[in-house]
Amino acid sequence: MITTATAMVIVLAAAAIVAVAAAWVTHHRWQKTRRQAHLLAREQQATEGALHKLVHETLPQIHQSGGRITVPAPAPELAGTAVGEQLTNVVKATAGVVQAVIRDIQYAAHQEIEQAKTLGAEELRRSHTAAQEEIARVRATAVRSTEAAVRSVSSALVGMAAKTSRKVSEGVREHEDDAAFETLTDIDHTVQQMLLVAQGWTILAGGKLTRHWPTTTLTDVVRAAMGYVEDYQRVQPQELTVAVKTRVVGPVVHALALLLDNALRFSPPQSRVHVSFEQGHHGVTVFVDDSGLQMTPEQLDSARDILTGQRTDDITQLGARPQTGFRVAAALARAYGFRVDVQAPNSLLGTRALLTLPQDLLTTAPQAAQEGPSAALASAPSGRLPAPAPVPVATQPALTPVPPTAGESDQEGSAVRTTASGLTVRSRRAAPASAPVSRPANAEPGRASVIAAWARGTQRARAEQGTHVPTADNDQGHDA
């Protein structure tokens, strides 16, 4: 019995111990569960606070800063937890996404801006090109219209001046021995100067010289140029029998007349203008030397720019007081292949103009034309335009003699006159009343016959009234 009781006690004691242990374990587990529940509650509150902060503070900051934000540390309750780590990752990822979106937006905006700039630049270039083309078109139209108007007016003036000169030339032949002779020669010389100016404007407007010349020696070229200028008595020319080919005689005469005109206008009225020649292997250079105003270096540079073609102003850019002499000479030089230049100072401390004719523009003059001017120059008074010895009429086809009538052959031998270039002048003869009188050959502008007749008339007038040398009108000069 005692054994059974002991066993029972032992069993009860063991049960009690087990019960106590179970209670302790249970209590311990409850306390642990309670602590875990408390921690979970705190984590939940911290998570809710972190989410609230993320939504109301962190995300707006990310938006405002363009993703450039310092990631905030998680709440202490969430430190080291998965929730804390996930919230930190969410902030980092959101900031990265915002930055990427902003970069994409900026790149797209930059591309659009560049495209807009490119399109704007292209449109601006197109507009600028179109505007320049329109300006060029309008300017070209204006230049063409101006040239056409100037060419029309100058051509009309050239025609009227030529017609007037022919009429005056006929009068000169008819009144060579009466009081009207000097007046007619003065009128004709003024017409020649008008013709020079009008032809110059025709050339500047793109026109051409229309008069056709025969092959002419340089001596007669100089004399023809003298017929276009005032104060021709002051020109002291040399002679050279080398001839200029037909196609360039007119341009060379015109250009040389402009150079003589400048030399005469810008030199003292009592001084002389010297014309000389230098014949070389490549051609002949005509020198025009004056002792007047010396061109400054700036004027020389400007003149050479014009004469060499480096400066080519159109007719609308000449200004209110155009200086056309060098421009006309340059246009003729470019068109016909000779060269014009200026130098200063010369041996007279004035200005020298040079007109260079290459060998392909020169030829040999007929023997008869070479002899006449030389003899005339040797016998002429200094500074006066002589009447050279006669040469055969065949050298100047434009002079058509009037056929002599009956009974005139004996008079013809005693009344022979010559032109300034040595050509025989046939005077009008009295015709029978029953037959119409043939008109004499018209003397074209600048014809040597008129120059010679004018020279004889002015020499006769100076012998009667005393020598008088007209002064130059600088206001009408071509170039300074």
Side-chain angles (χ1 to χ4, degrees), residues 127-147:
S127 300
H128 179 72
T129 302
Q132 291 295 324
E133 291 176 351
E134 182 65 17
I135 292 173
R137 187 188 65 80
V138 172
R139 182 174 181 78
T141 301
V143 171
R144 287 195 300 270
S145 300
T146 304
E147 288 180 346

Side-chain angles (χ1 to χ4, degrees), residues 72-393:
E77 294 83 0
L78 299 178
T81 64
V83 174
E85 293 179 358
Q86 292 299 325
L87 288 175
T88 300
N89 293 334
V90 167
V91 173
K92 291 181 178 179
T94 303
V97 170
V98 170
Q99 291 179 2
V101 170
I102 290 176
R103 283 195 300 270
D104 292 341
I105 293 174
Q106 290 177 343
Y107 178 76
H110 178 74
Q111 291 296 106
E112 291 180 358
I113 291 173
E114 291 298 322
Q115 185 177 4
K117 286 182 178 179
T118 302
L119 294 176
E122 291 179 356
E123 184 65 26
L124 183 61
R125 282 195 296 270
R126 286 196 296 268
S127 300
H128 179 72
T129 302
Q132 291 295 324
E133 291 176 351
E134 182 65 17
I135 292 173
R137 187 188 65 80
V138 172
R139 182 174 181 78
T141 301
V143 171
R144 287 195 300 270
S145 300
T146 304
E147 288 180 346
V150 172
R151 193 161 54 245
S152 176
V153 173
S154 59
S155 298
L157 290 176
V158 168
M160 288 187 290
K163 183 177 180 180
T164 303
S165 182
R166 286 193 294 269
K167 295 291 186 181
V168 173
S169 298
E170 294 177 8
V172 167
R173 288 196 178 92
E174 292 178 356
H175 299 277
E176 186 171 349
D177 297 324
D178 58 35
F181 173 79
E182 185 175 357
T183 301
L184 289 172
T185 52
D186 288 341
I187 293 173
D188 183 74
H189 193 61
T190 302
V191 171
Q192 301 310 311
Q193 297 174 61
M194 294 171 55
L195 188 60
L196 182 72
V197 175
Q199 287 176 334
W201 282 105
T202 300
I203 293 166
L204 288 179
K208 300 291 184 182
L209 297 176
T210 56
R211 179 179 174 185
H212 298 286
W213 294 69
T215 299
T216 307
T217 64
L218 280 169
T219 300
D220 289 340
V221 165
V222 174
R223 290 176 175 275
M226 291 167 59
Y228 285 105
V229 298
E230 191 175 4
D231 278 356
Y232 80 94
Q233 302 96 329
R234 293 168 48 201
V235 178
Q236 185 172 350
Q238 288 184 353
E239 64 174 284
L240 185 66
T241 56
V242 175
V244 181
K245 291 184 178 179
T246 298
R247 70 180 185 89
V248 292
V249 173
V252 171
V253 168
H254 194 101
L256 188 56
L258 296 174
L259 300 180
L260 290 174
D261 185 71
N262 282 339
L264 290 167
R265 290 181 186 275
F266 295 99
S267 60
Q270 70 277 8
S271 66
R272 294 190 181 278
V273 171
H274 301 270
V275 179
S276 57
F277 305 98
E278 181 68 31
Q279 187 173 6
H281 175 72
H282 298 289
V284 173
T285 298
V286 184
F287 299 99
V288 179
D289 289 289
D290 65 70
S291 56
L293 295 176
Q294 182 184 133
M295 295 181 71
T296 65
E298 293 77 12
Q299 291 173 330
L300 283 174
D301 291 340
S302 177
R304 285 168 178 161
D305 288 343
I306 294 173
L307 293 172
T308 58
Q310 296 181 8
R311 174 182 169 189
T312 54
D313 301 326
D314 62 57
I315 200 169
T316 63
Q317 298 175 316
L318 300 182
R321 293 178 62 85
Q323 295 178 332
T324 62
F326 284 152
R327 290 178 171 85
V328 174
L332 291 172
R334 287 194 302 270
Y336 292 93
F338 55 90
R339 187 170 65 89
V340 180
D341 195 8
V342 287
Q343 297 176 354
N346 58 9
S347 59
L348 303 174
L349 300 182
T351 301
R352 163 174 282 187
L354 304 87
L355 191 151
T356 303
L357 297 167
Q359 199 66 43
D360 59 348
L361 300 183
L362 303 174
T363 185
T364 303
Q367 185 64 29
Q370 296 179 17
E371 296 173 355
S374 302
L377 283 172
S379 60
S382 175
R384 298 185 181 181
L385 195 64
V391 295
V393 179

